[in-house]
Each structure stands twice: as C-alpha cells, then as structure tokens.
Amino acid sequence: MSAPTATARVDAEQTGRRVEEILDRLTASGDPKAAAAAEELVRSLMDFYGAGLARILHLQSAAAGDPLAKLLGDELVASLLVLHDLHPEDRDTRIARALDSVREHALDVVDFDVASGTLTLRTREAGGCGCGSGDGAREAAAAALACFAPEVRSVDVQTAPAEPVLLQIGTGPTPTRTR
C-alpha cells in the first residue's frame, strides 16, 4: 500500500458516530452472529491501532529533544492517543492545548464539571455587546476540545464582567497654619 501525498481531514467524533451507527444497524438486522463479528472486528482493530500508537510513543520518547511536541499538537494524532488512553498529558493540559489553538477568542478556564462533562470558560475581554461573539468562541472551543479533550461534552462561555472605573480619592490640600 502506498502512502498518500496528502492526508484527508478526518473528524474523530464523526467517525466514532459512524462506527456506532453501523454496529447499531447490524444489531437491528436480527443476525446476532454478524453483530458479534462486527463488534469483535472493531475491538481487534482498536487493539491493533492502540498497540501501534503505543509503540510510536515509546520510540518517539526515546529520541533526542522533544519529538512528542509535534505529535501531541496534531489534532488527529492527539485524538487517537486520547481514544486509546495513551495521551501522556493530563486532561487540564490537553484542555489548555485546545484553548491555545483558538487564542483569538481569549478564553480562560473557570471550571470543569466531571460528572456532566461541562467546561465553563470566561472571555478575557470585558463588556459584551450582545452580538453573539460568545457563540463563535463556544463553537471554536468545542471543535478544538473534541480532538484534544473529548471528555468535555459541552462548553459554556461566560462574558467577563466590565471592570469598574477606578476612582482616585486623595486628600485635599493641607491648610497652612499661620502664627
């Protein structure tokens, strides 16, 4: 098999949904043997690719310098590493990496609710014109997080409150004493 000259963009989330739909169709077909064989095939492929990814990580970590940086910054590789529970970075680091890829939205992490998978973010810019800029930030963050941190199932973006005006209060001029 020859390597392609250009890699087609693959969306990990859509691919996962597609595999689940196919397995559901096979289960609904009424042929339990075909459904079981399909599930076994998927498990075997996952084990095979997971072992390959583990080997890549091992070989890369033994190389000089920081060869993992490029692999971990790649959306497809990062999503495969997360899928196979091989990603060497913890969840918070992967969330930071994802948000770093959408810097133009200036987002800070407020909280992550593990039970619901909700990540609460706040925009760094104060104000809020009501023009829906939070929606663009939410969509950009959700897209980046799907690859780097799929445990984030929903994103809530809060607008930073407008900073209060700082009033300088000083003492008045000191009265001069006359003698």
Side-chain angles (χ1 to χ4, degrees):
M1 194 179 336
S2 64
T5 55
T7 305
R9 183 149 172 87
V10 177
D11 183 327
E13 189 177 347
Q14 286 178 344
T15 301
R17 276 194 237 125
R18 180 76 177 127
V19 169
E20 286 181 30
E21 289 170 6
I22 293 169
L23 289 175
D24 288 344
R25 272 198 333 239
L26 284 168
T27 300
S29 73
D31 186 353
K33 287 183 180 181
E39 287 181 8
E40 183 181 350
L41 174 63
V42 169
R43 268 193 304 278
S44 295
L45 287 172
M46 294 283 290
D47 290 344
F48 176 73
Y49 286 109
L53 288 170
R55 180 74 178 149
I56 289 169
L57 283 178
H58 172 73
L59 293 171
Q60 287 292 316
S61 65
D66 188 14
L68 286 179
K70 201 165 201 169
L71 289 174
L72 299 180
D74 181 271
E75 290 181 5
L76 179 58
V77 172
S79 63
L80 284 171
L81 294 174
V82 170
L83 177 66
H84 292 285
D85 200 21
L86 295 171
H87 204 291
E89 296 175 335
D90 65 11
R91 180 196 68 226
D92 293 340
T93 304
R94 290 183 285 109
I95 288 172
R97 182 182 291 275
L99 295 178
D100 194 46
S101 73
V102 292
R103 274 188 216 152
E104 68 274 12
H105 293 288
L107 298 167
D108 290 321
V109 175
V110 174
D111 185 42
F112 178 66
D113 184 289
V114 176
S116 68
T118 301
L119 179 66
T120 304
L121 304 171
R122 179 176 293 125
T123 59
R124 276 182 236 141
E125 280 109 30
C129 60
C131 58
S133 60
D135 291 338
R138 181 178 27 260
E139 289 172 12
L145 289 160
C147 294
F148 291 105
E151 57 266 64
V152 176
R153 292 188 292 275
S154 67
V155 177
D156 179 32
V157 177
Q158 302 172 346
T159 304
E163 293 185 24
V165 176
L166 179 62
L167 298 176
Q168 301 244 341
I169 301 174
T171 59
T174 311
T176 56
R177 287 186 170 177
T178 57
R179 289 189 180 201

